[in-house]
Amino acid sequence: MGFNKAMRSGITLTNATRFTKTQRIGDPLLQVPPARRGNRTGAPRSVPLAKRGNLRPRSVPLAKRGEPEGGGQFANFARALGTSLLTILILALVACSAPPKRTATAPTAPASPTALEPAPQGVLQVAFLDVGQGDSALITFPNGKTMLIDGGETSEGIALVGKLRRLGVQQIDWLVATHPHSDHIGGLIQVLKAFPVAEVWDIGMPFESPVYRDFLLAVRGARSPDGKRPKFRVVRRGLTLEPAPNVRLSVLAPSEPLLTGTRSDPNNNSIVLRVDAPGGSFLFTGDLEREGRARLYTTRPNLRADVLKVAHHGAENGTDRAFLSRVNPTVAVIPVGAGNRYGHPHRETLALLQGRRVYRTDLHGDIVMRLGADKKLQIATTRVAPTQPTAQTKPAPAVGVVIGNRNSKVYHRPDCRGLPKPQNQVRFRSAQEAEQAGYRPHTCVYGE
Ligand SMILES: [Zn+2]
Ligand SMILES: [Zn+2]
């Protein structure tokens, strides 16, 4: 299984209760919640320690690259521990009496209202920001340089700028629009007005929409840190960058020529990029769908990554078994809005992610990951997720005839304002019948 190697290189994954200035990142012994010190908001951190059994620090070794995870993983981990003298890990293991539960819907990072804090120097920080039904992630490199990947809808722009300020952002070195859909670029308009931006990355695909037009206008009106205009760069596969020493950033997609005639050309031409740092790697996939994935494989890129930003908000067309086995992430992040009309994340995607640690912005709020010099990945979130998302566990309601959308596999009440186009409608005699056919309820079904 390769855990010996993982242990030797010190690759472990730990939960952060909060990030503090004095706390050495990644030291599991220091991740026991501090005793109310500096607790400004009270709520999650005032829970007595005794009740926080499942919030204890834990170190989960990241799977060795190139090998799939298996059922006997924890046993192997324990065996590896027996031969290794990593006292810290042993102590951390003792702290959690049971093997870490790794289910798709019950992640264990404790909530921390202070998760959104500036990254300390020397740490790679990736903040997956809750922008409702949209996508946004800020990478702060160990040298302080910043890359913002997408920014949610226009309506999220002001809140996004506020979050970036809390994260200590003073300028954006690379602002990446993975593709021109409004749930990715809308919020960037406000960001371009609020911060100096050195470079804007775009796929350069002709796309008619008021939001994309406003985005391009905002790029034109923005200023760069040197007082000029941001550099507008159409990016393609093959572009690589060393944003900080020992950190490598690679653009894996799109390739030239851009895909056309797919279910969604903007989605399938999304900028896909990976970040490799000592101790961990991240893969960002935009809204890539099936056709875009197939195209990606033809160039045989290294897709293996410790953390996967799940494509297309957890839609069924954004993830499949083959892709997951290539990436083999230990942690998956789904940027998704609660009760969205697309039924994201889809049940099929969550099923495929079973056994990996899944974080969702609709359940966890902002999800902040840090990778320090000790090569341990710490994760803190601004909200505690319910153990089981209610939408997945409610029984089918008795609402009579319902109308399904054969594309999104979501069903609606016949009087819903968000009914699918007539050609995409499927009629079911009951909600139960729709659910048996694999459809999920729209919020209208529960009387929104
Ligand atoms: Zn999207
Ligand atoms: Zn999209």
Side-chain angles (χ1 to χ4, degrees):
M1 290 291 294
F3 283 108
N4 278 319
K5 186 170 179 199
M7 300 277 296
R8 270 200 305 276
S9 65
I11 302 172
T12 57
L13 187 148
T14 59
N15 282 336
T17 53
R18 62 185 296 238
F19 300 129
T20 65
K21 301 261 177 339
T22 52
Q23 180 177 329
R24 196 153 61 78
I25 298 305
D27 186 337
L29 294 179
L30 292 177
Q31 284 158 33
V32 176
R36 301 185 66 101
R37 180 168 49 83
N39 188 347
R40 289 186 294 274
T41 55
R45 274 179 289 117
S46 62
V47 177
L49 270 181
K51 288 189 182 168
R52 304 184 66 162
N54 64 335
L55 302 185
R56 287 289 179 84
R58 61 184 41 154
S59 304
V60 181
L62 296 179
K64 183 194 168 194
R65 294 178 187 191
E67 291 186 15
E69 292 188 341
Q73 171 177 317
F74 197 83
N76 284 332
F77 178 30
R79 261 198 304 280
L81 271 181
T83 57
S84 141
L85 291 174
L86 292 179
T87 321
I88 285 175
L89 282 176
I90 290 169
L91 287 174
L93 190 68
V94 168
C96 16
S97 50
K101 266 202 191 120
R102 306 178 77 189
T103 62
T105 51
T108 50
S112 162
T114 57
L116 290 184
E117 281 183 347
Q121 196 75 13
V123 168
L124 176 80
Q125 177 169 289
V126 181
F128 297 92
L129 300 169
D130 177 13
V131 289
Q133 180 64 13
D135 200 339
S136 185
L138 178 82
I139 308 175
T140 309
F141 295 104
N143 57 2
K145 293 209 172 193
T146 55
M147 172 177 271
L148 179 65
I149 305 173
D150 292 336
E153 293 281 357
T154 311
S155 56
E156 297 290 324
I158 289 173
L160 175 62
V161 166
K163 288 183 182 192
L164 296 178
R165 290 202 201 285
R166 284 173 63 187
L167 287 162
V169 169
Q170 289 173 345
Q171 69 174 59
I172 309 277
D173 294 286
W174 299 276
L175 183 142
V176 180
T178 60
H179 65 292
H181 278 156
S182 63
D183 57 321
H184 295 253
I185 59 163
L188 296 178
I189 296 167
Q190 202 66 40
V191 171
L192 283 157
K193 291 176 181 163
F195 299 101
V197 174
E199 268 190 34
V200 175
W201 290 10
D202 188 274
I203 59 170
M205 185 184 119
F207 187 72
E208 298 274 335
S209 90
V211 178
Y212 188 52
R213 192 195 56 220
D214 289 350
F215 167 74
L216 293 177
L217 285 172
V219 172
R220 204 182 296 172
R223 67 183 177 91
S224 60
D226 60 7
K228 298 178 187 160
R229 279 187 193 163
K231 182 176 174 190
F232 186 81
R233 199 160 169 176
V234 172
V235 301
R236 292 289 181 264
R237 178 182 73 85
L239 174 67
T240 59
L241 201 70
E242 193 176 292
N246 300 319
V247 179
R248 189 176 174 86
L249 193 140
S250 327
V251 174
L252 307 183
S255 318
E256 198 66 47
L258 295 182
L259 288 167
T260 54
T262 67
R263 197 202 73 86
S264 165
D265 291 344
N267 284 355
N268 280 301
N269 289 311
S270 288
I271 293 176
V272 175
L273 42 88
R274 63 173 299 133
V275 175
D276 290 281
S281 49
F282 297 78
L283 185 67
F284 299 87
T285 53
D287 274 357
L288 200 71
E289 297 182 9
R290 191 172 296 110
E291 297 97 325
R293 281 199 303 277
R295 179 70 168 281
L296 194 56
Y297 300 155
T298 61
T299 62
R300 299 174 156 269
N302 173 22
L303 293 175
R304 194 83 50 203
D306 299 311
V307 180
L308 169 68
K309 197 291 292 179
V310 174
H312 200 194
H313 319 283
E316 186 200 4
N317 58 26
T319 307
D320 64 12
R321 200 176 296 280
F323 185 70
L324 277 181
S325 72
R326 286 174 196 249
V327 181
N328 193 21
T330 302
V331 181
V333 179
I334 306 176
V336 66
N340 65 79
R341 62 196 165 106
Y342 310 100
H344 295 161
H346 289 163
R347 188 177 290 175
E348 297 82 352
T349 307
L350 293 176
L352 286 172
L353 289 168
Q354 281 283 347
R356 304 181 195 269
R357 294 177 54 153
V358 176
Y359 291 88
R360 298 168 43 169
T361 55
D362 60 338
L363 302 178
H364 297 91
D366 308 298
I367 300 146
V368 183
M369 303 190 181
R370 283 184 180 177
L371 195 54
D374 56 7
K375 302 174 182 174
K376 288 171 185 156
L377 187 71
Q378 275 199 335
I379 304 175
T381 64
T382 52
R383 286 215 307 270
V384 179
T387 314
Q388 287 190 310
T390 46
Q392 300 295 318
T393 53
K394 275 187 192 172
V399 288
V401 170
V402 295
I403 293 171
N405 180 332
R406 67 175 90 245
N407 290 333
S408 66
K409 296 278 192 287
V410 172
Y411 69 88
H412 305 252
R413 294 163 75 113
D415 58 352
C416 176
R417 280 173 301 159
L419 281 184
K421 288 180 190 151
Q423 66 268 29
N424 296 331
Q425 292 189 2
V426 194
R427 231 176 146 75
F428 295 103
R429 276 167 302 183
S430 68
Q432 205 189 1
E433 188 181 293
E435 300 218 347
Q436 277 163 2
Y439 283 68
R440 291 161 300 278
H442 182 248
T443 47
C444 67
V445 174
Y446 290 105
E448 178 202 43

